[in-house]
Amino acid sequence: MSLLAISLVLPTSPAGASSSHAPVRMPNFVGRSRAQVYAIMRHDALYFSTKGPGSAHATWRTVAAQSPAPGKLIAWHSTVSITTSMVAYHGRRAVPRVIGLSRAEVYAAMRRAELFFTTRGPGSAGGAWVVARRQSPAAGTLVAWHSNVIVITSLTRPRPKPVVKVAVKPKPKPIPHPISTSTTSTTSTTLTTTTTYPGEPTTSTTSTSSTTSTTTTTSTTTTTIKRSKARDFRVGVATWYDFIPGRCATWYLPLGTRVTVRDLATGKSIVCRATDREGAHGNRVVDLSETQFAELMPLWRGVIRVKVSW
């Protein structure tokens, strides 16, 4: 009985507490930055220990290796071992579309994408080219960081296609219902009576009655209902995840919609195209790529309040 009483007052072991939670699938941290690792660990309720360059003073930049391997089921609140690195990780880049852009616009687009390019064609030797005619690889192709893109140049811009004006017929005005008229007419008949007696003059009597007309007019009223303009913006919070720069995720817009995201605190804005679906609904209006979120706020902020318009 004394042993039973002692066992009842002993504290519950951590293993027993964690067994009530479902196991967690190990995320992939290789190539992630320090801010991304902290955010994922906080979300999945995991702990981690670091080893490698920069781990002693928390000056490491990316993850070089991890244990356990990605995808493995581990217990809730497990400790993950991470090997750090001081070298920044550079993911793949989407090649921007430069066809039709001027020389200055091509330089700016390549600088934003962190890519190099080589020119070929008229004016490429002396840097006198005016516009880009072709490119390789095609726009949207994923390439390694600092890859080289070939741009075929030209000295003249293509002539714009003639604009054909199409005559638009004006909308017909609404035609009111025809006016109904009720008319009542009364016509009298003229009677003539002639009386003749022998040896006497003839006597004629004529009786005439008047005509009465009554007209009633009914008016018709036509009402035109104006349609209200559709809403073209949402206000809520935005977060970030590892995705292609220039693309984002929403839960309410058709895929391919071009949107503008404005930070309500600073007024800064970026433009992206919705090509993915986010899992959360409600007040979370957009998930940005890591690159574009950093243009509005530092990554450690996690979420910001924005206005999304399209």
Side-chain angles (χ1 to χ4, degrees):
M1 293 297 292
S2 61
L3 292 176
L4 178 61
I6 293 172
S7 64
L8 290 176
V9 299
L10 289 177
T12 305
S13 63
S18 63
S19 62
S20 61
H21 294 271
V24 180
R25 192 169 297 277
M26 180 66 182
N28 185 9
F29 295 109
V30 177
R32 302 277 186 175
S33 65
R34 190 167 66 253
Q36 291 175 324
V37 172
Y38 275 98
I40 295 173
M41 287 294 185
R42 190 183 308 111
H43 179 270
D44 293 345
L46 297 174
Y47 298 104
F48 70 97
S49 62
T50 57
K51 60 180 179 179
S55 61
H57 303 286
T59 57
W60 56 277
R61 303 185 66 181
T62 57
V63 177
Q66 68 180 71
S67 179
K72 185 177 180 180
L73 289 177
I74 57 177
W76 182 70
H77 272 187
S78 294
T79 300
V80 178
S81 177
I82 291 178
T83 303
T84 60
S85 174
M86 296 294 292
V87 179
Y89 175 77
H90 299 284
R92 298 169 67 83
R93 300 290 193 269
V95 177
R97 179 179 176 84
V98 299
I99 298 176
L101 300 184
S102 65
R103 188 167 67 253
E105 292 171 335
V106 171
Y107 274 97
M110 289 300 182
R111 187 182 303 109
R112 287 193 301 267
E114 296 182 333
L115 297 174
F116 298 107
F117 70 97
T118 304
T119 56
R120 298 178 184 174
S124 61
W129 56 279
V130 176
V131 68
R133 281 291 182 87
R134 294 193 302 274
Q135 69 180 79
S136 178
T141 305
L142 292 178
V143 297
W145 179 67
H146 276 186
S147 293
N148 190 56
V149 178
I150 299 176
V151 177
I152 308 301
T153 61
S154 175
L155 291 172
T156 57
R157 288 186 175 274
R159 294 182 179 179
K161 295 182 180 180
V163 179
V164 180
K165 294 185 178 180
V166 180
V168 179
K169 295 182 179 180
K171 294 183 179 180
K173 296 181 178 180
I175 302 175
H177 295 287
I179 299 174
S180 59
T181 304
S182 175
T183 304
T184 303
S185 301
T186 304
T187 306
S188 62
T189 304
T190 302
L191 301 177
T192 303
T193 304
T194 303
T195 306
T196 304
Y197 295 97
E200 293 183 1
T202 301
T203 303
S204 299
T205 303
T206 302
S207 176
T208 305
S209 62
S210 61
T211 301
T212 303
S213 298
T214 304
T215 302
T216 303
T217 303
T218 304
S219 62
T220 303
T221 304
T222 303
T223 304
T224 303
I225 301 176
K226 294 183 178 179
R227 296 182 179 178
S228 60
K229 185 179 179 182
R231 187 172 63 176
D232 57 357
F233 69 90
R234 280 180 182 264
V235 176
V237 297
T239 183
W240 58 267
Y241 70 120
D242 187 16
F243 200 44
I244 302 172
R247 304 187 186 183
C248 56
T250 64
W251 56 267
Y252 51 90
L253 289 177
L255 295 180
T257 304
R258 183 182 175 90
V259 300
T260 301
V261 181
R262 182 179 300 278
D263 186 352
L264 296 180
T266 62
K268 295 181 181 179
S269 63
I270 56 98
V271 178
C272 61
R273 192 173 297 278
T275 59
D276 196 9
R277 291 295 185 200
E278 60 179 350
H281 292 186
N283 195 34
R284 200 164 105 191
V285 294
V286 67
D287 286 354
L288 300 174
S289 66
E290 178 184 359
T291 303
Q292 292 198 297
F293 187 94
E295 295 181 13
L296 301 178
M297 276 288 180
L299 295 179
W300 60 267
R301 290 293 296 272
V303 294
I304 56 176
R305 187 166 178 81
V306 297
K307 175 181 179 182
V308 179
S309 56
W310 60 91

